[in-house]
Amino acid sequence: MGNKKWARVFILIQGAMMVFHLLVLFRIIPFDKVWGGQLSSVSDMYRFEGLAMLVHAFVIWLVGMRVGIFRSLMKESLLDKFLWLLMVFFLLNTVGNLLAKTTMEKGFAAVSLASAYLVWRVRYSQY
Protein backbone atom coordinates (compact mmCIF):
# COMPACT_ATOMS: atom_id res chain seq x y z
CA MET A 1 0.00 0.00 0.00
CA GLY A 2 1.34 3.42 -0.89
CA ASN A 3 2.15 6.19 1.52
CA LYS A 4 -0.98 8.18 0.66
CA LYS A 5 -3.21 5.16 1.26
CA TRP A 6 -1.71 4.62 4.73
CA ALA A 7 -2.34 8.30 5.41
CA ARG A 8 -5.96 8.03 4.28
CA VAL A 9 -6.55 5.07 6.60
CA PHE A 10 -4.99 7.08 9.44
CA ILE A 11 -7.14 10.12 8.64
CA LEU A 12 -10.25 7.94 8.49
CA ILE A 13 -9.49 6.52 11.95
CA GLN A 14 -8.76 9.95 13.40
CA GLY A 15 -11.94 11.31 11.82
CA ALA A 16 -13.90 8.49 13.44
CA MET A 17 -12.28 9.39 16.76
CA MET A 18 -13.43 12.99 16.28
CA VAL A 19 -16.98 11.72 15.78
CA PHE A 20 -16.59 9.69 18.99
CA HIS A 21 -15.50 12.82 20.88
CA LEU A 22 -18.46 14.73 19.43
CA LEU A 23 -20.75 12.00 20.79
CA VAL A 24 -19.17 12.55 24.21
CA LEU A 25 -19.58 16.33 23.88
CA PHE A 26 -23.27 15.89 23.08
CA ARG A 27 -23.55 13.43 26.00
CA ILE A 28 -24.65 10.53 23.82
CA ILE A 29 -21.68 8.67 25.30
CA PRO A 30 -21.37 9.26 29.07
CA PHE A 31 -18.24 11.26 29.89
CA ASP A 32 -17.48 9.10 32.92
CA LYS A 33 -16.60 6.27 30.50
CA VAL A 34 -13.77 8.20 28.81
CA TRP A 35 -10.45 9.70 29.87
CA GLY A 36 -9.77 6.76 32.13
CA GLY A 37 -12.82 7.60 34.22
CA GLN A 38 -11.03 10.68 35.61
CA LEU A 39 -13.49 13.41 34.54
CA SER A 40 -15.52 14.69 37.46
CA SER A 41 -17.57 17.51 35.93
CA VAL A 42 -19.18 18.68 32.72
CA SER A 43 -16.73 21.60 32.51
CA ASP A 44 -13.82 19.12 32.72
CA MET A 45 -15.44 17.12 29.94
CA TYR A 46 -15.73 20.18 27.70
CA ARG A 47 -12.08 21.10 28.24
CA PHE A 48 -10.76 17.59 27.64
CA GLU A 49 -13.00 16.87 24.68
CA GLY A 50 -12.17 20.24 23.11
CA LEU A 51 -8.49 19.49 23.52
CA ALA A 52 -9.00 16.02 22.02
CA MET A 53 -10.68 17.52 18.96
CA LEU A 54 -7.80 19.96 18.48
CA VAL A 55 -5.22 17.19 18.83
CA HIS A 56 -7.00 14.99 16.30
CA ALA A 57 -7.24 17.89 13.84
CA PHE A 58 -3.53 18.66 14.36
CA VAL A 59 -2.40 15.07 13.76
CA ILE A 60 -4.59 14.83 10.65
CA TRP A 61 -2.95 18.03 9.40
CA LEU A 62 0.57 16.70 10.09
CA VAL A 63 -0.03 13.42 8.28
CA GLY A 64 -1.82 15.20 5.45
CA MET A 65 1.16 17.53 4.98
CA ARG A 66 3.56 14.57 4.89
CA VAL A 67 1.79 12.99 1.93
CA GLY A 68 0.78 16.16 0.11
CA ILE A 69 -2.93 16.18 0.93
CA PHE A 70 -2.32 19.57 2.56
CA ARG A 71 0.30 22.09 1.55
CA SER A 72 3.29 21.73 3.84
CA LEU A 73 3.94 24.75 6.03
CA MET A 74 7.11 23.43 7.67
CA LYS A 75 10.47 21.99 6.74
CA GLU A 76 10.52 18.27 6.07
CA SER A 77 12.97 17.68 8.94
CA LEU A 78 10.63 19.38 11.44
CA LEU A 79 7.65 17.47 10.08
CA ASP A 80 9.59 14.20 10.49
CA LYS A 81 10.31 15.10 14.12
CA PHE A 82 6.62 15.81 14.74
CA LEU A 83 5.70 12.47 13.17
CA TRP A 84 8.26 10.66 15.33
CA LEU A 85 6.79 12.35 18.43
CA LEU A 86 3.34 11.41 17.22
CA MET A 87 4.34 7.73 17.03
CA VAL A 88 5.70 7.91 20.58
CA PHE A 89 2.53 9.67 21.75
CA PHE A 90 0.31 6.95 20.30
CA LEU A 91 2.47 4.21 21.81
CA LEU A 92 2.30 5.85 25.24
CA ASN A 93 -1.43 6.35 24.79
CA THR A 94 -1.73 2.62 24.06
CA VAL A 95 -0.14 1.86 27.43
CA GLY A 96 -2.39 4.41 29.13
CA ASN A 97 -5.47 2.86 27.53
CA LEU A 98 -4.46 -0.60 28.70
CA LEU A 99 -4.07 0.70 32.27
CA ALA A 100 -7.39 2.60 32.25
CA LYS A 101 -10.22 1.78 34.63
CA THR A 102 -12.96 1.49 32.02
CA THR A 103 -13.41 -1.30 29.50
CA MET A 104 -14.16 1.25 26.78
CA GLU A 105 -10.79 2.95 27.29
CA LYS A 106 -9.00 -0.40 27.24
CA GLY A 107 -10.66 -1.14 23.91
CA PHE A 108 -9.17 2.00 22.44
CA ALA A 109 -5.67 0.62 23.00
CA ALA A 110 -6.04 -1.13 19.65
CA VAL A 111 -6.91 2.17 17.96
CA SER A 112 -3.88 3.87 19.51
CA LEU A 113 -1.57 1.03 18.50
CA ALA A 114 -2.95 1.02 14.95
CA SER A 115 -2.48 4.80 14.81
CA ALA A 116 1.17 4.48 15.89
CA TYR A 117 1.73 1.86 13.20
CA LEU A 118 0.06 3.99 10.52
CA VAL A 119 2.12 7.06 11.42
CA TRP A 120 5.23 4.87 11.22
CA ARG A 121 4.16 3.66 7.76
CA VAL A 122 3.46 7.19 6.57
CA ARG A 123 6.76 8.46 7.93
CA TYR A 124 8.93 5.70 6.51
CA SER A 125 7.10 4.78 3.29
CA GLN A 126 8.19 6.24 -0.01
CA TYR A 127 5.95 8.89 -1.45
Side-chain angles (χ1 to χ4, degrees):
M1 191 177 329
N3 194 9
K4 218 171 210 177
K5 288 184 181 181
W6 291 115
R8 286 186 179 129
V9 172
F10 176 83
I11 290 169
L12 179 68
I13 290 171
Q14 297 306 307
M17 291 304 302
M18 290 179 83
V19 169
F20 172 81
H21 288 292
L22 282 172
L23 293 173
V24 175
L25 276 170
F26 290 115
R27 298 189 193 177
I28 295 166
I29 296 172
F31 70 85
D32 63 334
K33 303 293 183 207
V34 297
W35 296 101
Q38 300 299 313
L39 298 180
S40 59
S41 69
V42 174
S43 63
D44 284 347
M45 181 266 296
Y46 285 127
R47 278 193 299 274
F48 277 76
E49 292 301 321
L51 178 63
M53 297 292 285
L54 287 173
V55 169
H56 286 295
F58 181 67
V59 300
I60 288 170
W61 179 64
L62 288 174
V63 168
M65 280 194 304
R66 175 71 164 114
V67 298
I69 294 171
F70 305 120
R71 188 170 65 93
S72 185
L73 300 176
M74 62 181 71
K75 292 182 180 182
E76 193 70 26
S77 61
L78 181 60
L79 184 55
D80 279 342
K81 287 178 178 119
F82 270 121
L83 291 174
W84 184 87
L85 288 171
L86 191 55
M87 285 187 301
V88 171
F89 168 79
F90 280 120
L91 289 172
L92 291 173
N93 193 52
T94 300
V95 173
N97 287 139
L98 289 171
L99 298 174
K101 294 176 184 175
T102 65
T103 305
M104 184 185 297
E105 283 287 312
K106 289 180 186 207
F108 280 111
V111 175
S112 291
L113 188 58
S115 295
Y117 174 74
L118 290 167
V119 171
W120 177 78
R121 292 302 306 234
V122 166
R123 186 171 186 265
Y124 290 107
S125 295
Q126 295 299 316
Y127 55 99

